Amino acid sequence: MKYNILMTQEPVVSVKNLNHYYGKGSLKRQILFDINLEINSGEIVIMTGPSGSGKTTLLSLIGGLRSVQQGSLKFSGREFFGASQTELVQVRRNIGFIFQAHNLLGFLSARQNVQMAVELEDNISQIDAITKSKAMLAAVGLGEYVDYYPDNLSGGQKQRIAIARALVNHPSLVLADEPTAALDKQSGRDVVELMQRLAKEQGTSILLVTHDNRILDIADRIVDMEDGCLARDSHKGNIGYESGAKTNHSYSF
Ligand code: ADP
Ligand code: MG
């Protein structure tokens, strides 16, 4: 039965007893404390918590942007602890990143910004890369703007390009660090609803950090970070999507 296969599927992210430190010698400071977290396939998890509590640090570890110092962090079953930089680069191809500042390149058009991500894939012709980039921009409602440069687009439109870029290779995970922080209320809402829709269509998991209480309802689950600890992990239950029904976690809180 398909449902049972989903129930036993390996989590996309599995973090166990993860600690992290910045600084050396007497300046060494522990930032993350015994983090345990699993994210299942297709699940949308929102992480909240005060500034400085360690959210970005955890995101960068999960994204393979930083080396794991202590504990276990697996992405689709692959252990990051002890992984080489080359291995991390390989794994990062399966992860889409969306940051607070959209991180688009100003001298490239919308299409070229998305196409850059497509061309990280091996064996794709330029024609196919262009077609794929245009289709993804159309999917985020920017079909008319493929040749525009970021400077000539609104904050919400730029963030939608960043979403297109993050999702164009159909990654199994999208990591979004305060993606609505620079947007007005309505644009922020539009952007997360778009991420939610595309992720559900593609079966992509999302881990999204936000301070914005108004978007919490898009999550299947909410976790809170406090002083480097995961203080709360609440199930919101099934909010009408299939993935809500198939989640099957065990936590040690
Ligand atoms: P958040 O994203 O929740 O605001 P961060 O993960 O950015 O938290 O930061 C957690 C703590 O680690 C903060 O005290 C911050 O000052 C510190 N920190 C973040 N990055 C570094 C770094 N590269 N070197 C040293 N300390 C850092
Ligand atoms: Mg941060």
Side-chain angles (χ1 to χ4, degrees), residues 12 30 64 70 105 131 188 237 241 249:
V12 175
Q30 186 163 2
Q70 248 175 35
L105 295 173
T131 308
Y241 292 97
H249 322 285

Side-chain angles (χ1 to χ4, degrees), residues 104 108-116 118 129-150 153 156-168 194 197-198 202:
L104 301 175
L108 297 180
S109 69
R111 191 259 298 163
Q112 289 169 325
N113 266 285
V114 176
Q115 196 178 327
M116 257 184 47
V118 179
I130 290 172
T131 308
K132 210 172 157 183
S133 307
K134 285 182 172 171
M136 196 66 220
L137 283 165
V140 300
L142 293 176
E144 309 283 297
Y145 296 91
V146 292
D147 294 324
Y148 280 57
Y149 287 83
L153 296 167
Q157 287 171 323
K158 282 187 272 207
Q159 204 54 304
R160 282 192 274 155
I161 300 174
I163 292 172
R165 185 183 54 184
L167 283 159
V168 71
L194 182 65
R197 178 171 64 75
L198 295 173
Q202 296 192 3

Side-chain angles (χ1 to χ4, degrees), residues 9-218:
Q9 205 173 41
E10 188 167 46
V12 175
V13 175
S14 175
V15 182
K16 290 203 175 80
N17 307 116
L18 182 78
N19 294 315
H20 198 78
Y21 307 80
Y22 285 128
K24 286 197 169 74
S26 61
L27 294 176
K28 185 170 168 179
R29 194 155 69 89
Q30 186 163 2
I31 300 297
L32 296 178
F33 298 82
D34 196 30
I35 303 289
N36 291 281
L37 176 71
E38 283 192 353
I39 301 173
N40 289 302
S41 179
E43 193 175 30
I44 299 181
V45 178
I46 285 189
M47 183 183 294
T48 62
S51 183
S53 57
K55 304 181 299 296
T56 296
T57 302
L58 180 56
L59 230 65
S60 64
L61 285 161
I62 293 174
L65 298 168
R66 215 178 260 297
S67 295
V68 173
Q69 299 169 341
Q70 248 175 35
S72 168
L73 198 166
K74 287 184 186 160
F75 175 80
S76 297
R78 273 168 294 184
E79 180 58 72
F80 279 10
F81 180 80
S84 69
Q85 286 305 313
T86 316
E87 287 167 322
L88 291 179
V89 169
Q90 287 293 329
V91 172
R92 283 208 293 270
R93 292 181 175 188
N94 300 304
I95 303 176
F97 296 91
I98 301 169
F99 301 102
Q100 173 177 348
H102 46 76
N103 291 68
L104 301 175
L105 295 173
F107 56 90
L108 297 180
S109 69
R111 191 259 298 163
Q112 289 169 325
N113 266 285
V114 176
Q115 196 178 327
M116 257 184 47
V118 179
E119 286 173 349
L120 293 173
E121 298 254 290
D122 299 326
N123 305 321
I124 184 155
S125 71
Q126 199 182 17
I127 302 243
D128 287 347
I130 290 172
T131 308
K132 210 172 157 183
S133 307
K134 285 182 172 171
M136 196 66 220
L137 283 165
V140 300
L142 293 176
E144 309 283 297
Y145 296 91
V146 292
D147 294 324
Y148 280 57
Y149 287 83
D151 276 356
N152 299 322
L153 296 167
S154 70
Q157 287 171 323
K158 282 187 272 207
Q159 204 54 304
R160 282 192 274 155
I161 300 174
I163 292 172
R165 185 183 54 184
L167 283 159
V168 71
N169 291 329
H170 294 243
S172 43
L173 176 68
V174 168
L175 296 172
D177 200 352
E178 308 198 31
T180 66
L183 303 179
D184 63 67
K185 181 181 168 188
Q186 189 57 46
S187 312
R189 180 82 213 169
D190 291 347
V191 156
V192 290
E193 281 181 359
L194 182 65
M195 283 174 65
Q196 180 191 36
R197 178 171 64 75
L198 295 173
K200 293 296 174 187
E201 280 170 16
Q202 296 192 3
T204 303
S205 310
I206 297 183
L207 177 59
L208 187 154
V209 168
T210 189
H211 286 292
D212 190 347
N213 288 333
R214 295 172 303 220
I215 62 171
L216 298 182
D217 60 291
I218 70 139

